[in-house]
Amino acid sequence: MSQRGKSEMKNKSEFLIVFLILIFSFIYASIAYADVLTLPDGLRLVTEENRLVKITLREEAVSEADTLLARSRMLPNINASLTQTFLTYQPEVIFGPQSVPMSEKNFLSYSLSIQQTLYDFKGDASRYESSKLILETKKIDTKRIRNLVSLDFTLIYFDILESEKMVIVAEKEVQRLESHLRDAKNLYDEGVITKNDLFQAEVRLSDVKQRLMAVRNLRAINASRLNSVLARPLKTDVQVMDVKETPSDGLNLDMEKAWELAESQRPEIQIVDTTLKSLDMEEAAKRSEYYPRFFLQGGYDFTENRYQVHEGNWLLTAGINLNLFSGGSTKAEVLKIKQQSLKLFGQRDKLIDEVKLEVEKYILDLKTAREKITVTKDAVGQAEENLRINRVRYSEGVGTATEVLDAVTLLTIAESNLYRSLYDFRRAEAGLVYSIGKDLSELYK
């Protein structure tokens, strides 16, 4: 093969290799990007795939079927029948010394009847309205469950982010202690320090490595919790993206204003209010049983009988049904509904107090976390400078190993406190949004 042919083949091979590398890089980047879960995407998934949400949707469908059953009582009741009769003996009647046939020995008959309630003092209508209000409570409860699982997901999401930051802090501490151990070995080789200083650094490094393993395990547990909320296999790999820091409206939210928002927007309170309206409708339906029910019935009957003048006949009946006495059951059921309403009123007052306490807790947690963030930011810078100074003093033989190790520990504590404060703030912010009844998906868009 000529030199030119070899050169062209080499160029083609290089081009093919570069092309394949680009393709594999693109595929890997796409897969890696697809594995990263953002908070808005996670909230969308959890409100669709979570098991509690699916169960609540089934309960909502059952309640919707109940409304159809209640409505059916206001619609006409239509019945039809068709029969064929076979007799052993033909029916006959005796007239003196002879018998006369009354009907066929085998005959066909059919009928059609329609009955419609004209007026029952709003009994059926009240039952239907009550069923629709119950359906409304199920829809509100579905909204509550969606927001509840969103809060649960959000808190776990921040737990993962916090555990990842704790892994980084532990890894930095390991690196600092390894650097200190190298310095200690050099000083020991030079005869500047004793063996005890070297042992002290090795023991501290071993302890930090164990804590590093613990925080990595905690991160794995939080990932499994997140997969459980998303109804995915627990061992599915989870990569999360941090949330951009934005100004929080909760810091400027007045306590009284927050309570008003919670009382008007919390699904739990809306469920109680709607249930009270439903009980009013049920009571009206029960009271209607004291009064008569007016109905109209029509139909057509046909019986095959050549001995009868009219084989078919139309029917129209107007009637009244009135229950004169039922052992006091209606009065007892009305009293039962009243007691249920009084019970709900008491539960509503208790629920409002609990919601207010929840709102107050999250507002105070939010403000406390913000103050901690401000304080810990300064502490981290001071701890870094303290470590730098003590390492310089130790390398020059002026400082001690204990001072360096203490400085490393102080810096780790400062960094840990900063991340804890940051994610405590975000958890409190999410909890406050939930406590006043707002949709969490609106906060994290």
Side-chain angles (χ1 to χ4, degrees), residues 70 74 120-133 277-278 280-286 288:
M74 298 189 297
D120 64 347
F121 293 89
K122 297 184 179 180
D124 291 338
S126 297
R127 291 186 184 89
Y128 179 51
E129 290 299 322
S130 175
S131 66
K132 289 200 297 183
L133 289 170
K277 294 178 182 178
S278 174
D280 290 340
M281 293 293 101
E282 286 187 18
E283 182 179 353
K286 286 297 178 183
S288 69

Side-chain angles (χ1 to χ4, degrees), residues 74-102:
M74 298 189 297
L75 301 177
N77 188 6
I78 304 174
N79 293 303
S81 65
L82 175 65
T83 60
Q84 176 69 47
T85 304
F86 302 93
L87 300 176
T88 304
Y89 303 102
Q90 184 176 15
E92 297 180 349
V93 62
I94 300 175
F95 282 96
Q98 61 180 359
S99 61
V100 179
M102 293 177 57

Side-chain angles (χ1 to χ4, degrees), residues 46 49-56 227-232:
V46 77
E49 302 298 331
N50 186 266
R51 296 181 179 92
L52 282 176
V53 174
K54 292 182 178 180
I55 292 172
T56 308
N227 286 325
S228 177
V229 173
L230 293 172
R232 300 194 304 190

Side-chain angles (χ1 to χ4, degrees), residues 248 250-251 362-370 425 428-429 432:
S248 176
L251 293 171
Y362 282 123
I363 288 179
L364 294 177
D365 287 348
L366 192 68
K367 293 180 179 179
T368 301
R370 172 53 66 186
F425 178 84
E429 184 180 35
L432 178 59

Side-chain angles (χ1 to χ4, degrees), residues 332-355:
E333 288 176 351
V334 170
L335 179 60
K336 177 182 176 181
I337 293 173
K338 285 184 176 181
Q339 294 302 321
Q340 288 176 337
S341 297
L342 293 175
K343 175 186 174 182
L344 275 179
F345 275 117
Q347 289 177 338
R348 186 182 189 277
D349 294 337
K350 181 176 180 295
L351 179 61
I352 289 176
D353 287 343
E354 291 175 351
V355 167

Side-chain angles (χ1 to χ4, degrees), residues 365-379 414 417-422 424-425:
D365 287 348
L366 192 68
K367 293 180 179 179
T368 301
R370 172 53 66 186
E371 293 175 0
K372 286 182 178 179
I373 290 173
T374 303
V375 173
T376 52
K377 279 184 177 179
D378 296 334
N417 288 339
L418 175 61
Y419 288 126
R420 287 195 184 99
S421 301
L422 174 62
D424 283 345
F425 178 84

Side-chain angles (χ1 to χ4, degrees), residues 267-287:
E268 293 90 338
I269 300 175
Q270 294 175 355
I271 288 173
V272 173
D273 292 339
T274 309
T275 303
L276 286 170
K277 294 178 182 178
S278 174
L279 288 175
D280 290 340
M281 293 293 101
E282 286 187 18
E283 182 179 353
K286 286 297 178 183
R287 288 187 179 278

